[in-house]
Structures are given as C-alpha cells and as structure tokens.
Amino acid sequence: MNVDGRLGWMIMELPSPIMFCLAFWARMEGLDSSGPPKQALFLVVLYVVHYLNRAVISPLRTASRSPSHIIIPIVSILFNVLNGSLIGTYIAALYNASRTSPTPSSYPGPAFLGGILLFVAGFASNVWHDEVLLKLRNNSHNGPGSSEERYKIPYGGLYRFISFPNYLSEWLEWIGYAVAATSLASSVRQSLVEPYGLGKAGWYTPPWMFVAAEIAAMLPRAVRGHQWYRGRFGEAYPSRRKAVFPFLL
C-alpha cells in the first residue's frame, strides 16, 4: 500500500493551488485595473509561488523520498482541496470588496507590507534550509536508499538552534500571509459585511485557520523528529538544539 515518495508528494500537494485558483476565479467579479484590487491579486501570486516550489520544484530536485502509505496522500488531498478552496474564496471576497469599498486605498498599509515581508522572509528561509537537506542527500557517496545517505546532521542557518527550521519558516510564511490578508480585510471591512458576512470574522478566517492547522499537525512531528535525531546520533548531535522554537522547544 506504499506509493513512490516523490510522486505521492506532488499528487497530494498540487490540489491546493489548483483549487485555490479555481475558487478564486469562480468567485471574483471580473478583472479590474484600478489600484486596490492589486493587493488581493498579490496574495494570489504568493500562494501560487509557494506551492509551485513546494509541489513541483522541490520534489523534482530531490533525488529520492521515502515511500509513504497511500492513506497519507489521500488524507492530504482532502485537506488541500478544502484548504485551497476556502482560502481562494476568501481572497476573492477581499478582491471584490476592494473594488466596491467606499473608501478604497491605492496604497497598502504597514500591516499589509509587514505581512508580505514576513511571508517573503519565511519563504526564503524555507527554501534555503531545504537546500541544506537536499545537498546532504545529493552529495552523499553511499548507495541509493541507504540510511547513511538519507540521514545526516544538517548545519548552518537556523540549524544552529533547531532541528526543523523549515517547519518554523513555513509557519512564519503563513502567519505573514494571514496578517496581510487580515490587514486588507480591515481596510475594506464595510464592503465585506454584505454580501459576504466577513466584516466581523476577526481571526476566524481561512488564512488563520490554515496557520492553526499547520502548527497542530507539524509541531508533534517536529518534536518526534527531534527525539529521533537525538536517539540516532547520540552525543554527536548538538546538545543546544531544540526541536522547532529556538531556546524553548
């Protein structure tokens, strides 16, 4: 019941950007060349860029991935279909509200810019730390599939402090995304009340729900993975490293 690691990864991740784009396209009320909607369109670009790297570029550059039980891609597909659809619909609502807002702004606010900068920093950190792992695998001189090839101690960057900086980086990405989306929603709040009913949604929006779901799913994996590293490498593993939060956990 196992499936190829790379193929399974691509199949289970691609539904998220596909459903996001389909949901956004189905709900948007036509393209507009005016200033305000461009902020929402920028959120569309960021989402697609993240998943282009995650679902296509990264697995194609990886020499191999461990096989996974078929239930993992199935469950992940269900989650990604739902998550991509919800966030795509929400960003479409922001786009439409930007066009009809009685007090539109052509310039993004500081919270929006801060969220975008946090997303970009998290994305760059995620890619960089994944590259460290990729080089460890691809530069190995051991036989394909051997445990020595797949498991080595990574160094550099945030690996100095934690075992899973790629997890932390991804959380920072989506926190930044949620902050930017919340900022945009606040600027067009009056237009979101009707017909979307989102004016008082607060933190209960799809981007923030995605952040919560990611941390809930990945934090236990990070803790278990950190314990596994310590058990496998023993005293050779840096004693000061935490699992995913520097100096804390």
Side-chain angles (χ1 to χ4, degrees):
M1 298 295 288
N2 284 349
V3 296
D4 177 77
R6 288 201 305 174
L7 180 61
W9 182 267
M10 296 177 72
I11 291 175
M12 73 185 192
E13 292 295 332
L14 280 173
S16 187
I18 291 173
M19 295 306 301
F20 176 93
C21 291
L22 289 176
F24 179 83
W25 187 263
R27 298 289 183 176
M28 66 181 293
E29 298 172 358
L31 286 172
D32 194 325
S33 59
S34 62
K38 292 180 181 179
Q39 297 178 31
L41 292 177
F42 194 59
L43 294 177
V44 174
V45 172
L46 292 182
Y47 194 95
V48 173
V49 167
H50 170 87
Y51 275 98
L52 178 64
N53 175 73
R54 179 179 177 87
V56 180
I57 297 175
S58 179
L60 288 180
R61 296 188 67 237
T62 304
S64 64
R65 284 180 181 264
S66 300
S68 59
H69 194 276
I70 193 171
I71 193 64
I72 295 176
I74 291 175
V75 172
S76 297
I77 288 171
L78 294 175
F79 173 81
N80 283 322
V81 166
L82 177 62
N83 186 62
S85 300
L86 286 173
I87 298 181
T89 300
Y90 181 70
I91 300 302
L94 296 184
Y95 173 84
N96 295 333
S98 296
R99 300 178 61 194
T100 60
S101 175
T103 57
S105 172
S106 299
Y107 302 98
F112 183 87
L113 290 175
I116 296 301
L117 289 176
L118 183 59
F119 180 95
V120 172
F123 179 79
S125 176
N126 196 0
V127 171
W128 191 91
H129 289 97
D130 277 346
E131 188 71 15
V132 172
L133 297 179
L134 180 64
K135 288 181 177 179
L136 282 180
R137 295 179 180 179
N138 293 347
N139 292 341
S140 174
H141 298 290
N142 298 299
S146 71
S147 59
E148 316 304 330
E149 175 193 19
R150 292 187 320 221
Y151 305 122
K152 294 181 179 291
I153 301 176
Y155 293 95
L158 290 176
Y159 284 113
R160 179 182 177 185
F161 305 105
I162 54 179
S163 297
F164 291 89
N166 47 345
Y167 284 17
L168 178 61
S169 299
E170 186 164 336
W171 298 344
L172 292 178
E173 276 187 74
W174 294 116
I175 290 173
Y177 192 92
V179 168
T182 300
S183 172
L184 182 55
S186 297
S187 69
V188 295
R189 187 172 302 278
Q190 184 173 343
S191 297
L192 281 173
V193 175
E194 294 292 344
Y196 305 105
L198 295 173
K200 298 182 179 180
W203 299 93
Y204 301 100
T205 58
W208 284 112
M209 292 167 64
F210 184 31
V211 171
E214 277 222 322
I215 295 176
M218 297 166 68
L219 181 57
R221 292 210 306 264
V223 172
R224 290 194 300 267
H226 180 69
Q227 294 171 345
W228 182 91
Y229 269 123
R230 289 200 174 281
R232 178 175 179 81
F233 294 105
E235 295 183 358
Y237 199 71
S239 59
R240 296 178 59 186
R241 279 192 197 178
K242 298 297 183 181
V244 70
F245 295 118
F247 312 113
L248 296 175
L249 176 65

